[in-house]
Amino acid sequence: MTRLFNEPADFADEMIEGFVASHGRWVKRVSGGVVRNTRSTPDTAALVIGGGSGHYPAFAGLVGQGLAHGAAMGNLFASPSAQQIYHVSKAANNGGGVLLGYGNYAGDVLHFNQAQDRLREEGIDCRSIAVTDDVSSAPPAERAKRRGIAGDLTVFKVAAAAAEAGYSMDDLVAIAERANDRTRSFGVAFTGCTLPGADHPLFFVPEGRMAVGMGIHGEPGIGEADIPTADELAELLVAKLLTEIPDGFEASAGARVVPILNGLGSVKYEELFVVYRRVARLLAEAGLEAVDPQVGELVTSFDMAGTSLTLFWLDDELETLWNAPADAPAFRRGAVTAEALDASAGSTDNSELADVELSIPEATPDSRAGAVRVLAALGAAKAVVDANADELGRIDAIAGDGDHGIGMERGVRAAVDAARDAVARGAGSATTLHFAADAWADKAGGTSGALWGMALRAVGDAVGNTETPDAGAVAAGVAGAASAIMDFGKAKPGDKTLVDVLVPFRDALAAGVNAGQSLTEAWGAAATVAQQAAEDTARLLPLMGRARPHAEKSLGTPDAGAVSMALIVRAIHNTFAESKAAANTAAQNKTVKENA
């Protein structure tokens, strides 16, 4: 279990602070993550990698001369936000474009693509490579759906060396894709991992058994088997990977491979060496030449007890790039000459990227009064998320990665803080919602962070800064939120996501408003529909996101995103009802006073 932490929702931020404090020779902190604290060659491409925290040495440990130029660091097991990726990319850019590298997970794809679009709009040549090395996560015919695990290292190392050598962006993308095409990984786990503050692992493996094919976010394996001996495990890993030899290779033809035996957090190095002893023999018996074997912790999953084997199939160019010098906190080879940045460049943030106080557009008194109600609604959302964070994490861990509770906590807390600041500065309803939306997306990260950010922004667009938000405007905002979320995430009703709650809630709210009900009445009825819709997701199989490969495990359990949305809309209704009751009481008191 994770024993050393303060506030669980603050763990990632405090971890980054400590990492930078202890590795200042290599990295400096910028908004969204870290970048090199050494000079890079001007007008060359920069490699910016990233993903959720909890996988050290990935991703920050791979930033340094000869390796990545920067790392965007998300919350625990959650993708960094588009804004984090954008900031790190801007700080790392050398003038030759930016290549974004990440594991192929839904949240990462969404956020990195958003950041890529934003960088391109500013004239920066930005491309992406999503690592897809995990053979257990999809069949060969669907390799593009596979997730990235320890193979991140081979792709990032090759791409970084190519960037260091001055490859053009087109050539850089081509060599990164070739490295990805020639990397295969497969892993097992003996215990689940436990996030800070949790009192149980994200998943359990029965005593004496091992999960086969698990993911690095704590996703359960696709099968179970008895725990083998070290030699039997080596035989399982090698045999599985040799069933998928990349095109153009034959196992018996003297092909060269980089073997990576990766520990996932709690397996001792000595145990890994015992396993690798047999791996080395098996590779030799198969006619393969092992080049520069790597044994140790390279892409972890907190305290998960498990290991994975990666085979990286080389050609001459890939081998040269793999062997090129590198000097990063967690990966070093050869001799690297790196010039430290001067003191002014080595500050904890880039001045041009530092947070600035955003201007507040003018708003009418009615809209400012509406902003107070927005703040109350967000406060109610925060209270219900805080009260249910552990349960949301438990539900999410059934077939996912268990981070939903922590992510929602971080997002809604940031949204409340941003909204409180906006209200204090005289913001209207739209501005308050927009500030809250950006803060939620940025702090929460992950898919849910992006979606809730979109939802709040859509409602803000609908209510504006001139009028008191009425039922029609709010209903239009909810409809806009549903459209934006479905367009962005591509989920539809029946996929077992928050869309299964949002769509019926939208329809019920619109029906009530069109029937002449007040916002409080229509929202209350729609919240009841949302609650039932969330419960109904227990009967569905997930067709999107990290839960998809473990669909059958989630039968009988509702979707965590659907449950959190239903909880929030009910909590918001309570604020509407309280506000209406207070208004009625005030009106009655006024009438009594006038008649006295």
Side-chain angles (χ1 to χ4, degrees), residues 379-391:
K382 176 184 177 299
V384 77
V385 167
D386 286 345
N388 290 275
D390 290 345
E391 177 64 7

Side-chain angles (χ1 to χ4, degrees), residues 185-204:
S185 300
F186 183 64
V188 300
F190 313 110
T191 67
C193 54
T194 307
L195 295 179
D199 58 5
H200 57 270
L202 294 180
F203 68 95
F204 291 93

Side-chain angles (χ1 to χ4, degrees), residues 166-184:
Y167 278 40
S168 70
M169 182 59 77
D170 288 342
D171 291 340
L172 178 58
V173 171
I175 198 68
E177 291 177 344
R178 195 195 316 168
N180 187 45
D181 289 341
R182 297 187 179 192
T183 301
R184 304 286 190 278

Side-chain angles (χ1 to χ4, degrees), residues 55 115 120 149 179 221 325 338 343 363 377 393 462 556:
H55 304 303
R120 287 176 173 177
I149 51 175

Side-chain angles (χ1 to χ4, degrees), residues 192-285:
C193 54
T194 307
L195 295 179
D199 58 5
H200 57 270
L202 294 180
F203 68 95
F204 291 93
V205 181
E207 188 70 26
R209 303 277 286 175
M210 70 177 180
V212 179
M214 80 301 134
I216 60 170
H217 298 92
E219 302 98 332
I222 58 175
E224 280 186 8
D226 289 337
I227 293 180
T229 64
D231 283 359
E232 290 169 342
L233 176 58
E235 290 159 7
L236 170 67
L237 297 174
V238 172
K240 178 64 175 179
L241 293 182
L242 291 188
T243 64
E244 277 207 34
I245 299 173
D247 294 341
F249 289 93
E250 292 183 13
S252 60
R256 304 186 309 282
V257 298
V258 174
I260 300 173
L261 188 63
N262 175 60
L264 283 158
S266 291
V267 173
K268 300 300 183 184
Y269 273 60
E270 289 85 350
E271 296 175 90
L272 295 175
F273 292 140
V274 173
V275 175
Y276 186 74
R277 155 192 158 277
R278 181 60 177 155
V279 169
R281 292 177 182 177
L282 292 169
L283 294 178
E285 291 171 5

Side-chain angles (χ1 to χ4, degrees), residues 467-481:
E467 307 292 338
T468 300
D470 61 18
V474 172
V478 171

Side-chain angles (χ1 to χ4, degrees), residues 116-385:
Q116 176 179 266
D117 291 343
R118 184 174 174 185
L119 291 164
R120 287 176 173 177
E121 289 172 0
E122 296 184 7
I124 296 173
D125 186 3
C126 186
R127 318 283 182 90
S128 296
I129 178 71
V131 181
T132 55
D133 60 304
D134 182 8
V135 300
S136 68
S137 54
E142 298 181 327
R143 278 192 56 221
K145 294 182 179 179
R146 287 179 171 174
R147 59 196 173 209
I149 51 175
D152 284 355
L153 176 64
T154 66
V155 178
F156 297 163
K157 174 62 177 70
V158 164
E164 206 79 40
Y167 278 40
S168 70
M169 182 59 77
D170 288 342
D171 291 340
L172 178 58
V173 171
I175 198 68
E177 291 177 344
R178 195 195 316 168
N180 187 45
D181 289 341
R182 297 187 179 192
T183 301
R184 304 286 190 278
S185 300
F186 183 64
V188 300
F190 313 110
T191 67
C193 54
T194 307
L195 295 179
D199 58 5
H200 57 270
L202 294 180
F203 68 95
F204 291 93
V205 181
E207 188 70 26
R209 303 277 286 175
M210 70 177 180
V212 179
M214 80 301 134
I216 60 170
H217 298 92
E219 302 98 332
I222 58 175
E224 280 186 8
D226 289 337
I227 293 180
T229 64
D231 283 359
E232 290 169 342
L233 176 58
E235 290 159 7
L236 170 67
L237 297 174
V238 172
K240 178 64 175 179
L241 293 182
L242 291 188
T243 64
E244 277 207 34
I245 299 173
D247 294 341
F249 289 93
E250 292 183 13
S252 60
R256 304 186 309 282
V257 298
V258 174
I260 300 173
L261 188 63
N262 175 60
L264 283 158
S266 291
V267 173
K268 300 300 183 184
Y269 273 60
E270 289 85 350
E271 296 175 90
L272 295 175
F273 292 140
V274 173
V275 175
Y276 186 74
R277 155 192 158 277
R278 181 60 177 155
V279 169
R281 292 177 182 177
L282 292 169
L283 294 178
E285 291 171 5
L288 301 174
E289 178 184 348
V291 176
D292 189 32
Q294 301 290 314
V295 180
E297 293 183 348
L298 297 160
V299 180
T300 62
S301 183
F302 253 92
D303 61 336
M304 183 189 291
T307 184
S308 64
L309 178 66
T310 299
L311 293 182
F312 177 34
W313 299 75
L314 299 170
D315 58 27
D316 290 343
E317 185 178 18
L318 291 173
E319 185 170 355
T320 296
L321 294 169
W322 173 259
N323 287 325
D327 184 27
F331 193 90
R332 306 172 205 171
R333 66 149 42 92
V336 173
T337 301
E339 181 184 354
L341 296 174
D342 58 38
S344 63
S347 60
T348 58
D349 208 337
N350 288 45
S351 59
E352 70 271 21
L353 297 178
D355 292 335
V356 296
E357 187 172 89
L358 300 175
S359 61
I360 300 292
E362 289 188 11
T364 64
D366 285 344
S367 185
R368 289 198 295 271
V372 174
R373 296 182 67 184
V374 167
L375 177 58
L378 289 170
K382 176 184 177 299
V384 77
V385 167

Side-chain angles (χ1 to χ4, degrees), residues 73-87:
M73 303 171 67
N75 189 28
L76 298 176
F77 291 0
S79 66
S81 69
Q83 185 164 314
Q84 288 177 295
I85 299 161
Y86 167 81
H87 281 172

